[in-house]
Amino acid sequence: MEQREKKYALVTGGSRGIGRAVCLKLAGMGYSVIVNYRSNDDEAHVTLGMIESAGGEGELLKFDVADRQDVEEALSSWKSAHEGSYISVLVNNAGFRDDSLLIWMEDSSWEQVVDVTLKGFLNVTRFLLKDMLVARFGRVVNISSLSGIKGLPGQTNYSAAKGGLIAATKALAQETARKKVTVNAVAPGFISTDMTRDLDENELRKLIPAGRFGTPDEVAAAVGFLASEEASYITGTVISVNGGLYT
Ligand code: NAP
């Protein structure tokens, strides 16, 4: 296949959890998937191996989404190596939580959580958006959270970041709709990944109408739909994937 004909998708935080499932979903949809991650080389290689074993294609691109210089260097070198191509699907998935009650919260905990989510969105999306607008096709899917809709105690930093990401999604969607670039968010509830490993699933599942945590694949299904060409008239929206926990 000619390189020019390939469709590229970038998934931030693709080395583990939800991001890995999204990488596999998009690879299955025919995208050549760029798997971003911050530090975990071993897990990133596992994701790439899974893409390739399933007959798909991908590559690794390591950078810290919160670091503008790091993002721009990595994406510029990707562009130079793929002249004539552009990244048409961006999934802003990288994120982490650092919970504490606000009264005890350190500045660093607030800043790091907000920066990875919101500066991460800014740094990566701003860099890739121009090519999507010029090509008149693009899909941006932002992974928010139930926490950004409802707010969760112990997570004022994370709730602020994820709520801000939803507001940014709605604003940007209105800027880009005429150029056929859609911008949407997915808001997972409790999903079984490394991020939720320390939570008491047996207690929390009692609160969830579906009676269980969700799987990364269940989140990836929603992302895949929003990234598809069929979702062309859906923009500025948020799909909750939370087992009925909050509607
Ligand atoms: P996870 O298993 O902890 O994986 C986090 C991923 O993000 C890893 O690939 C990690 O890379 C990457 N990452 C973290 N900081 C980064 C940075 N600064 N730059 C680049 N990559 C970075 O998390 P997850 O549960 O799959 O969560 C994925 C997304 O879903 C997050 O945005 C999270 O807030 C959101 N979410 C999760 C849940 C849930 O219940 N799990 C619920 C709602 C929303 P390394 O492997 O290199 O560390």
Side-chain angles (χ1 to χ4, degrees):
M1 195 195 295
E2 286 273 325
Q3 197 172 66
R4 214 175 317 113
E5 294 168 359
K6 281 188 200 164
K7 301 183 297 178
Y8 290 94
L10 169 65
V11 181
T12 68
S15 52
R16 295 184 279 125
I18 292 169
R20 171 181 288 165
V22 170
C23 287
L24 290 165
K25 178 76 189 173
L26 295 175
M29 288 165 64
Y31 283 91
S32 181
V33 179
I34 305 154
V35 182
N36 159 259
Y37 64 107
R38 176 166 53 180
S39 56
N40 201 327
D41 300 308
D42 290 347
E43 293 297 323
H45 279 283
V46 171
T47 300
L48 186 57
M50 290 171 81
I51 290 171
E52 289 169 352
S53 319
E57 188 183 294
E59 63 193 292
L60 302 181
L61 198 62
K62 184 177 181 177
F63 58 82
D64 178 349
V65 296
D67 181 336
R68 178 175 177 172
Q69 196 181 337
D70 202 14
V71 170
E72 294 188 353
E73 279 173 14
L75 291 176
S76 300
S77 61
W78 186 90
K79 274 193 77 163
S80 313
H82 298 78
E83 220 170 305
S85 299
Y86 84 108
I87 295 169
S88 57
V89 172
L90 165 63
V91 182
N92 286 305
N93 165 78
F96 77 109
R97 44 180 271 259
D98 186 10
D99 300 353
S100 73
L101 296 176
L102 185 77
I103 198 166
W104 306 120
M105 191 171 286
E106 304 278 352
D107 286 4
S108 60
S109 168
W110 180 277
E111 284 160 10
Q112 284 166 15
V113 169
V114 170
D115 279 1
V116 169
T117 299
L118 291 180
K119 269 199 196 152
F121 160 79
L122 170 68
N123 290 336
V124 182
T125 310
R126 182 175 50 195
F127 190 96
L128 299 181
L129 194 57
K130 190 173 166 206
D131 284 345
M132 294 185 192
L133 295 171
V134 168
R136 293 212 166 14
F137 179 84
R139 297 278 183 265
V140 179
V141 183
N142 298 318
I143 307 301
S144 179
S145 169
L146 169 71
S147 198
I149 299 175
K150 180 186 175 292
L152 291 178
Q155 295 195 327
T156 52
N157 51 358
Y158 187 81
S159 299
K162 294 298 194 180
L165 186 60
I166 288 175
T169 299
K170 293 180 178 183
L172 182 60
Q174 294 172 64
E175 293 183 14
T176 62
R178 278 184 195 276
K179 299 280 167 65
K180 301 184 170 53
V181 175
T182 67
V183 187
N184 290 290
V186 171
F190 292 103
I191 308 299
S192 298
T193 68
D194 291 345
M195 187 180 275
T196 51
R197 205 174 292 287
D198 61 328
L199 303 180
D200 185 345
E201 183 168 349
N202 275 334
E203 273 308 304
L204 287 168
R205 66 198 289 172
K206 294 176 193 157
L207 305 172
I208 305 170
R212 62 175 177 84
F213 278 17
T215 67
D217 286 345
E218 289 172 317
V219 180
V223 176
F225 169 62
L226 290 171
S228 70
E229 296 194 14
E230 287 82 355
S232 48
Y233 203 54
I234 300 173
T235 196
T237 196
V238 185
I239 297 184
S240 284
V241 182
N242 64 21
L245 183 55
Y246 187 80
T247 51

